[in-house]
Amino acid sequence: MKQDMIVVLDLGSEENPKIAREIRALGVYSEIHPHDITLAELKALPNVKGIILNGGPNRVVDGVSIDVAKEIYDCDIPALLVDHRGDDPWPVDDGERETALKNFIFTICGAEANWNMDNFIADQVELIRNQVGDKKVLLALSGGVDSSVVAALLIKAIGQQLVCVHVNHGLMRKNESESVIEVFKNQLHANLIYVDATDRFLDKLAGVADPEQKRKIIGGEFIRVFEEEARKLEGIDFLGQGTIYPDIIESGTKTAKMVKSHHNVGGLPEDLKFQLVEPLKQLFKDEVRACGVELGLPPAMVYRQPFPGPGLGVRCLGAITRERLAAVRESDAILREEFEKAGLNKKVWQYFTVVPDFKSVGVKNNARCFDYMVIIRAINTIDAMTATIERVDWDVLQTITDRILSEVDHVNRVCYDMSPKPPATIEFE
């Protein structure tokens, strides 16, 4: 069953994700598109029942106020102008916003509340089959939520045409690769190829401190490894990716500046030989998890701790060294172990450690030392667009601190990050 759609056109609002999520919460599918979409492109979208022109503080670009094409105003699709600049502000009260949206979506547009995961999966299965045909898809299977849900969706759509590749780039968490092999190969019987490319990645990253450059190197090298694996196989024309909507938004739009590039959005080599299959690219993180549940994935996999594509490469801040990488990996393992003991693993959305590329003076074994610090980050969020800080019990933090300082080499200081998103991002790089 095709879902009705409300299209949000970005006229410089910073609340595009929020209004899209509010529409979806009412049971109607919504997508965000740029202000300069043509009428033909708009009409080509499936089942568009209404348009929301979402204005905001970024509406003036290079001194010119942006707007949609006149023919979109004149077309037969109902439109609602929303302004977040204060001239005729959109209601701040959640109840008033919901009432206004319901009136527009259901009364004026006549849309049906048929947006749900069952329909989404059915649509995506059809789209994947139409795109892929009888060819094969190569998928990077990290074992994280996004790649696991993509794998399950692709298996449902094309079965054995999916070839999963797990690349150990040396930037995995402690025992992560071993866990991926156990779960996917031994338990789920996936067609899994394991590649240990640790030295290859770390050699490429040697001396590289800029986070954007690191991300692009990691993303580019990932694709190179896939290309090499594809040459060993027959009929690989497609690359599956777990791109989700916050990845695309944070990588920049026509009215919003880039926050950070994502390895599956901005880091692909120019000579990429694969066509992309990205069935989750319009979903927010909580919707990806709901999709995984609907597909029958085990809860432990669906609600697994989020992990960035570049792995510990963006948590070993600055130029990566094996010494600091080991410190990140060991301190992260301690943090996760103690959070599980305290029951925080079921409460906190994401938690991890980072190690900056500078040292401080300390005392260890009754002698002066000059070592690194570990920073702990623990945050809660629904859709990864905003985040709040978890108020961890002091005794738990003290236990974690004591263990890190006594068990992790080359560390003499532990700090707790108190910064929400915004202004900070979830990751440091």
Side-chain angles (χ1 to χ4, degrees):
M1 180 179 182
K2 296 292 185 183
Q3 297 130 33
D4 289 345
M5 184 194 302
I6 301 295
V7 174
V8 177
L9 296 183
D10 177 15
L11 286 175
S13 174
E14 295 174 347
E15 296 200 9
N16 294 314
K18 181 175 181 178
I19 199 166
R21 290 183 54 76
E22 288 172 335
I23 296 167
R24 293 186 189 187
L26 295 174
V28 179
Y29 183 56
S30 178
E31 287 185 4
I32 303 167
H33 287 273
H35 71 280
D36 57 359
I37 189 173
T38 66
L39 181 59
E41 290 170 335
L42 184 65
K43 293 270 191 178
L45 296 173
N47 290 17
V48 176
K49 296 295 185 179
I51 307 165
I52 292 181
L53 307 171
N54 206 32
N58 298 322
R59 187 162 184 175
V60 177
V61 178
D62 296 329
V64 179
S65 181
I66 60 174
D67 206 345
V68 299
K70 183 179 183 300
E71 54 262 33
I72 290 180
Y73 282 110
D74 296 337
C75 76
D76 57 355
I77 304 174
L80 172 67
L81 179 58
V82 173
D83 198 324
H84 297 284
R85 295 179 298 171
D87 300 335
D88 184 19
W90 184 243
V92 176
D93 179 76
D94 289 342
E96 292 180 8
R97 289 170 68 103
E98 183 176 338
T99 299
L101 280 175
K102 281 182 175 178
N103 179 63
F104 175 69
I105 294 168
F106 300 116
T107 304
I108 297 175
C109 299
E112 292 185 34
N114 54 12
W115 158 246
N116 56 58
M117 276 304 145
D118 187 53
N119 288 340
F120 172 80
I121 291 168
D123 284 352
Q124 289 302 318
V125 165
E126 181 181 344
L127 289 170
I128 291 166
R129 287 173 178 169
N130 289 339
Q131 180 183 6
V132 174
D134 61 355
K135 303 295 184 182
K136 293 181 181 178
V137 179
L138 193 62
L139 174 69
L141 182 55
S142 68
V145 177
D146 301 339
S147 68
S148 297
V149 174
V150 168
L153 189 51
L154 287 169
I155 288 169
K156 183 177 180 67
I158 58 173
Q160 291 303 304
Q161 292 169 243
L162 176 66
V163 179
C164 299
V165 177
H166 175 66
V167 179
N168 181 359
H169 50 20
L171 305 169
M172 306 293 288
R173 291 176 294 195
K174 191 171 184 178
N175 298 325
E176 192 85 43
S177 286
E178 293 83 352
S179 174
V180 168
I181 293 170
E182 170 60 27
V183 171
F184 287 95
K185 189 171 185 177
N186 299 340
Q187 296 180 21
L188 300 182
H189 310 292
N191 184 4
L192 179 64
I193 298 171
Y194 173 71
V195 182
D196 186 350
T198 299
D199 291 338
R200 174 173 173 171
F201 274 82
L202 295 185
D203 288 347
K204 285 268 187 181
L205 290 164
V208 179
D210 179 72
E212 284 303 303
Q213 192 177 354
K214 286 200 295 187
R215 285 178 176 270
K216 287 190 177 347
I217 288 172
I218 294 166
E221 203 61 23
F222 250 108
I223 304 304
R224 298 296 182 195
V225 173
F226 293 149
E227 287 179 330
E228 292 171 11
E229 292 303 317
R231 293 189 195 106
K232 304 172 187 176
L233 302 166
E234 294 287 333
I236 299 286
D237 286 359
F238 295 91
L239 178 69
Q241 289 198 146
T243 309
I244 65 173
Y245 212 32
D247 296 344
I248 295 172
I249 294 170
E250 289 192 335
S251 292
T253 66
K254 292 181 179 179
T255 63
K257 294 181 179 179
M258 182 182 71
V259 178
K260 60 185 176 184
S261 71
H262 286 260
H263 76 286
N264 48 6
V265 178
L268 302 178
E270 292 180 2
D271 61 345
L272 176 66
K273 299 298 192 297
F274 303 115
Q275 296 180 54
L276 296 182
V277 180
E278 301 174 295
L280 305 181
K281 66 182 179 181
Q282 291 292 346
L283 295 187
F284 294 95
K285 194 72 177 191
D286 58 315
E287 294 170 334
V288 174
R289 295 185 193 278
C291 184
V293 170
E294 188 70 29
L295 287 165
L297 289 176
M301 185 179 296
V302 172
Y303 295 101
R304 190 172 185 169
Q305 176 74 196
F307 194 54
L312 299 183
V314 292
R315 296 177 181 173
C316 185
L317 307 184
I320 297 170
T321 66
R322 291 177 186 259
E323 183 177 84
R324 284 191 302 111
L325 191 57
V328 176
R329 184 175 288 116
E330 293 301 321
S331 60
D332 177 78
I334 291 171
L335 176 67
R336 287 188 289 131
E337 185 178 322
E338 293 300 328
F339 263 41
E340 185 172 355
K341 287 180 183 177
L344 291 171
N345 62 314
K346 297 179 181 177
K347 177 186 177 187
V348 183
W349 188 83
Q350 189 168 17
Y351 45 95
F352 56 90
T353 63
V354 301
V355 176
D357 188 16
F358 61 84
K359 296 181 178 181
S360 66
V361 175
V363 177
K364 267 192 169 185
N365 300 321
N366 297 317
R368 179 187 182 277
C369 65
F370 195 53
D371 281 327
Y372 298 107
M373 72 169 62
V374 167
I375 302 173
I376 297 171
R377 185 145 174 79
I379 57 96
N380 289 307
T381 182
I382 294 175
D383 57 16
M385 299 307 299
T386 62
T388 57
I389 303 306
E390 174 65 20
R391 296 173 180 265
V392 181
D393 181 81
W394 190 260
D395 289 339
V396 175
L397 278 179
Q398 188 67 60
T399 299
I400 294 167
T401 299
D402 290 344
R403 284 196 59 191
I404 290 174
L405 292 177
S406 63
E407 297 176 30
V408 181
D409 293 335
H410 309 293
V411 170
N412 66 358
R413 201 176 293 265
V414 175
C415 300
Y416 190 72
D417 181 1
M418 295 292 294
S419 314
K421 176 183 181 178
T425 52
I426 292 175
E427 299 286 344
F428 276 61
E429 292 188 340

